[in-house]
Amino acid sequence: MVDRLEQMYEGKAKKVYRTNDPDLFIIDFKDDATAFNGLKKGTIEDKGVLNNLISTRFFEVLQEKGIPSHFVERLNDREMLVKGLEIIPVEVVVRNVVAGSLAKRLGLEEGISFASPVLEFYYKRDDLGDPLINEYVVFALKLATPEQIAEITDLALKINQVLQEFLQSRGIELVDFKLEFGVHQGKVLLGDEISPDTCRFWDLETREKLDKDRFRRDLGQVEEAYAEIWRRIQG
Ligand code: 5GP
């Protein structure tokens, strides 16, 4: 049994607590939702509960396929036990279909499938709105080592393959997603969460959006979309 100690950090969607084990932390998933770098704020009822369930399921699926992550176990409705990470300040986005910021940046219509996955790095800096960077910036600023970037690239593309296959059989198209990595005892581990907050999920047939874009774009039925993702991936 681990005991929850003091809060260490509060982010937009999660709180992190220390525990009596210096190596383990508790993530508490909140219902708060933000978009456009905090400009749009709201709550999505039971989002925390659903994202804890959904992330747990994805981390378990990935662990079965040999992807190392900070996930230890889901403790209760809103809490997940994780290993402590030294976070690498680089957000990794993998894209299979044109959407969001890439559609805007390259003047492409949303929904076009890429011939091969697109991998992007963003500098994790809220005050700058997480700018797009490349490996040269990562190395010049010593955000990660070349070995770590090679490992992260390998893991991100493997995660894409595993999740694409898992979701496809459940009628979900994995459009794109964001990952974060960190170092634990010298090893690169997948961190953060994998949920409709951090991924774009479309219904495979109708291409209906089943993710946070429903909140970002005021499409309604936000809670229903998160619940639908959980319904399709559980068990
Ligand atoms: P885009 O760059 O098109 O806005 O986002 C690409 C993908 O990464 C989407 O699935 C989006 O949810 C995720 N993503 C990118 N940046 C962030 C971020 O700062 N927070 C969250 N929650 N997701 C992000």
Side-chain angles (χ1 to χ4, degrees), residues 13 23-24 35 132 222 231 235:
D23 202 35
L24 297 176
L132 180 70
V222 186
R231 191 188 69 76

Side-chain angles (χ1 to χ4, degrees), residues 101-193:
S101 70
L102 181 137
K104 222 177 220 173
R105 188 168 357 106
L106 299 185
L108 295 171
E109 205 181 310
E110 279 204 331
I112 302 166
S113 294
F114 292 117
S116 54
V118 170
L119 187 99
E120 297 171 334
F121 298 119
Y122 293 85
Y123 187 16
K124 191 173 157 61
R125 278 281 298 268
D126 273 347
D127 58 330
L128 301 176
D130 298 343
L132 180 70
I133 55 175
N134 65 18
E135 287 96 320
Y136 288 90
V137 179
V138 173
F139 304 146
L141 296 183
K142 295 190 169 184
L143 305 179
T145 65
E147 292 74 25
Q148 286 171 337
I149 286 296
E151 175 76 6
I152 286 170
T153 300
D154 205 49
L155 287 171
L157 294 175
K158 188 158 178 218
I159 291 165
N160 186 44
Q161 270 184 359
V162 170
L163 292 185
Q164 249 189 329
E165 204 180 295
F166 173 80
L167 289 165
Q168 190 154 18
S169 65
R170 287 158 172 87
I172 301 166
E173 182 167 18
L174 180 60
V175 172
D176 57 31
F177 57 97
K178 184 256 301 181
L179 302 171
E180 294 186 26
F181 294 88
V183 179
H184 177 84
Q185 296 174 354
K187 206 174 159 222
V188 173
L189 302 185
L190 173 64
D192 197 42
E193 63 175 288

Side-chain angles (χ1 to χ4, degrees), residues 12-14 34 37 91-95 99-103 105 110 120 122 124 126 129-130 174-180 192-193 195-201 211-213 216-217:
K12 286 174 272 191
K14 295 185 283 286
T34 64
N37 201 28
E91 297 190 351
V92 182
V93 169
V94 182
R95 304 177 185 269
S101 70
L102 181 137
R105 188 168 357 106
E110 279 204 331
E120 297 171 334
Y122 293 85
K124 191 173 157 61
D126 273 347
D130 298 343
L174 180 60
V175 172
D176 57 31
F177 57 97
K178 184 256 301 181
L179 302 171
E180 294 186 26
D192 197 42
E193 63 175 288
S195 74
D197 272 13
T198 62
C199 306
R200 285 195 174 93
F201 299 126
D211 56 60
K212 196 173 162 188
D213 270 351
R216 295 187 187 105
R217 302 178 190 189

